[in-house]
Amino acid sequence: MTDTVDLLIIGGGVNGTAIARAAAPAGQRVLLVEQGDLAQATSSASTKLMHGGLRYLEHYEFKLVHESLKERGIMLRMAPHIVRPLEFRLPHAPSMRPWPIVRIGLWLYDLLAIGGGLPRSRSIRIDDPGLKPGSGRGFSYWDGQVDDARLVVLNALDAQANGAEIATRTRFFSARAEKGIWTAELQHGRSVRAGTIVNAAGPWVDRVLRQEVDLTPRGNVRLVRGSHIVVPRCLEGDHAWLLQQPDGRIVFAIPWFEDFTLIGTTDFTVERPEEDTICDAETDYILAAANLYLTKPLARVDIVHSFAGIRPLFDDGTSSASKVTRDYRLELDTARAPILSVFGGKITTARHLAEEVLGKLGIARGLTEARPLPGGDLADFTTFLAQVHRDWPFLDAFTAKRMAQAYGTRIGQVLGDAKAPEDLGQDFGLGLTVREVDYLVANEWAVTAEDVLWRRTKLGLRFTAEQAAGLHAYLGEGEDGALAHRAH
């Protein structure tokens, strides 16, 4: 039997799920297929920022920055549990960008963000014991921080609630067109007829076109790896740092999950999507970039975790990987049957990209701007967190905050009528219980311990090998999987 859908979306990253979320309430029959887990590739390997991209102003990408800043404001309203304001501080390095240039850039950033609801930039005194003495002058500005993998899951949940089918661990093999309709062959022996294919396969976008569909794209994709390291908290305060580098790049140092600092990123051109592991040169670059500013230098032994993602950027011919545009390009081919491919894009602009996809396909817009993401129907996170403490007083402070941020107002669906810790079943460690794991498996497409620990909860940063082995056993996996991922 062959199913029939209006849209077959290939790729369960932020772009694919955002498109599904926009199309489903617009009356489209949607099937999204993802070869692995949701957000398993690029969309869980970002710098975790919902931002305009201050450095893009240097490349005159004013449209991209303005669009990104507008989207930042929308996402802060739509998903206040997973998107939060974050202050950034920028020490002034006299040997790098001149003071007036930085000040003008921040003023322009403020101007492009008018109405975004965040404080304006200002000059400040830099006096942090974790930083080497410098000019003593610097700047403060605001952007947003996001749980990237959960953003993807919430998009998928909302799409499903509006009728879309989300099929993870289902690879797209091939498609042929006949009389303007695609017939696609999928994993598990499934076949589907689709009016339109949306190729949002991320780093595999070119491979889908050339190998699975046998089309030659009009543009080329540039695969650029961005790598990050995570170290124990090395700077005080709840603000992030933007650290200018002698080569003109910038590196972020961001407070992450209370006890850690996330540092990155790099721009390293690669040939294949599978080259998604940080290399020694990138590790050395990030450490040197941080140590240029830190009082207490970091070494490899300080790294508790590292990750890398492949950005599928539209190749605009720029020689430097760091200067390739971060804007997206939508390529529609109707020669045999409609197939729309997504090149580039970033976490911040995924919602807007999805609306543009619908417009390009002649589908009524889904009005996603006015609809909160699942769990995001709350006015103030601080007030909401206080309510969580009152409703489930047996949760420790760390677990209550973690779950409030992850699930928002859906937390009741996870905890249900629990009145005491024993009502939640076995605790695998750090407040992750059978009740929560069962919820993630039943409702959020989690299958493996890696799905749970590294994409749904981020508790992999804190779990011991023994705790991870217990979760693997509960989910029917071997212990080696936990140890192998921990080592990576």
Side-chain angles (χ1 to χ4, degrees):
M1 180 178 177
T2 302
D3 298 327
T4 300
V5 299
D6 297 310
L7 292 185
L8 171 61
I9 301 173
I10 304 168
V14 70
N15 287 335
T17 55
I19 295 166
R21 177 179 182 255
Q28 298 294 297
R29 294 170 296 174
V30 175
L31 168 62
L32 181 148
V33 294
E34 161 57 44
Q35 64 181 344
D37 182 31
L38 294 174
Q40 186 165 320
T42 307
S43 294
S44 60
S46 75
T47 313
K48 325 299 180 188
L49 297 180
M50 188 67 65
H51 68 141
L54 180 61
R55 73 182 182 89
Y56 304 151
L57 292 176
E58 290 186 314
H59 307 309
Y60 308 107
E61 297 207 56
F62 303 119
K63 175 180 173 291
L64 173 62
V65 174
H66 177 61
E67 178 184 303
S68 299
L69 288 170
K70 180 181 178 182
E71 289 300 306
R72 183 193 71 184
I74 292 170
M75 297 305 297
L76 284 165
R77 296 192 299 272
M78 279 176 43
H81 51 321
I82 64 163
V83 183
R84 297 174 290 279
L86 179 65
E87 181 191 6
F88 286 77
R89 296 186 179 178
L90 194 166
H92 179 240
S95 61
M96 300 177 198
R97 294 169 178 86
W99 175 275
I101 296 297
V102 179
R103 179 65 270 182
I104 291 171
L106 286 168
W107 174 82
L108 181 57
Y109 202 65
D110 291 337
L111 184 65
L112 293 172
I114 284 179
L118 292 181
R120 301 185 111 190
S121 63
R122 58 191 176 91
S123 300
I124 60 172
R125 177 81 181 168
I126 300 292
D127 185 17
D128 189 295
L131 296 178
K132 296 175 182 176
S135 68
R137 298 198 302 171
F139 303 92
S140 165
Y141 74 98
W142 288 76
D143 259 320
Q145 187 171 30
V146 62
D147 186 332
D148 50 7
R150 287 215 57 79
L151 175 63
V152 174
V153 170
L154 297 185
N155 273 322
L157 282 171
D158 199 43
Q160 183 186 67
N162 283 280
E165 180 186 352
I166 309 296
T168 60
R169 292 173 166 83
T170 303
R171 185 174 174 181
F172 170 82
F173 285 136
S174 64
R176 66 184 187 278
E178 185 177 352
K179 297 180 179 179
I181 299 293
W182 292 104
T183 298
E185 303 302 326
L186 310 176
Q187 195 172 352
H188 314 300
R190 185 174 180 182
S191 179
V192 62
R193 286 167 55 84
T196 299
I197 290 177
V198 176
N199 176 12
W204 292 270
V205 61
D206 193 72
R207 187 177 299 178
V208 166
L209 281 174
R210 296 180 187 275
Q211 298 182 18
E212 277 81 21
V213 185
D214 191 24
L215 284 174
T216 301
R218 291 190 294 272
N220 294 315
V221 67
R222 179 90 166 263
L223 300 181
V224 177
R225 184 170 64 220
S227 297
H228 303 76
I229 64 172
V230 180
V231 298
R233 182 67 77 93
C234 61
L235 289 165
E236 296 180 355
D238 295 326
H239 47 270
W241 293 91
L242 188 154
L243 308 176
Q244 299 184 81
Q245 299 301 309
D247 61 2
R249 297 191 72 257
I250 59 171
V251 167
F252 293 107
I254 301 169
W256 206 37
F257 282 87
E258 312 292 340
D259 301 326
F260 302 96
T261 300
L262 171 67
I263 309 175
T265 183
T266 59
D267 291 294
F268 194 92
T269 299
V270 298
E271 297 297 323
R272 299 180 301 111
E274 292 77 17
E275 297 178 55
D276 60 350
T277 302
I278 187 172
C279 69
D280 288 343
E282 290 172 294
T283 300
D284 291 341
Y285 178 88
I286 296 173
L287 288 172
N291 289 340
L292 192 63
Y293 289 84
L294 294 177
T295 304
K296 182 180 179 182
L298 294 170
R300 285 178 177 269
V301 70
D302 297 309
I303 299 173
V304 298
H305 181 57
S306 62
F307 61 90
I310 307 298
R311 310 182 194 101
L313 305 180
F314 179 74
D315 193 349
D316 58 4
T318 304
S319 58
S320 170
S322 65
K323 295 180 180 179
V324 178
T325 180
R326 266 48 175 180
D327 207 350
Y328 55 82
R329 174 163 171 164
L330 307 178
E331 186 176 291
L332 178 61
D333 189 313
T334 58
R336 287 186 278 167
I339 177 169
L340 186 146
S341 297
V342 178
F343 293 85
K346 52 203 284 271
I347 287 278
T348 307
T349 54
R351 189 208 66 85
H352 186 268
L353 179 151
E355 294 285 347
E356 287 211 357
V357 166
L358 264 60
K360 203 168 184 70
L361 295 176
I363 301 170
R365 302 295 177 97
L367 301 177
T368 53
E369 180 177 345
R371 196 170 74 247
L373 282 168
D377 50 339
L378 55 95
D380 175 74
F381 181 78
T382 301
T383 302
F384 172 69
L385 180 57
Q387 184 64 50
V388 169
H389 284 296
R390 289 193 295 271
D391 291 345
W392 295 281
F394 58 86
L395 295 178
D396 62 82
F398 172 80
T399 300
K401 184 177 180 181
R402 175 185 69 79
M403 295 187 71
Q405 290 178 335
Y407 304 109
T409 57
R410 291 173 63 93
I411 191 173
Q413 297 182 34
V414 185
L415 296 174
D417 58 357
K419 304 296 183 185
E422 52 267 24
D423 295 333
L424 301 178
Q426 177 187 351
D427 188 334
F428 298 103
L430 301 172
L432 179 68
T433 64
V434 163
R435 176 79 67 91
E436 184 176 2
V437 172
D438 287 351
Y439 167 84
L440 293 172
V441 171
N443 298 279
E444 293 196 3
W445 300 278
V447 175
T448 69
E450 180 177 324
D451 300 343
V452 173
L453 293 177
W454 293 98
R455 286 181 286 277
R456 303 306 186 279
T457 70
K458 301 294 192 297
L459 286 172
L461 281 169
R462 299 170 182 269
F463 256 46
T464 65
E466 291 74 21
Q467 290 170 329
L471 180 58
H472 275 260
Y474 178 75
L475 292 171
E477 301 175 283
E479 183 178 346
D480 289 347
L483 296 175
H485 186 78
R486 186 66 178 173
H488 172 72

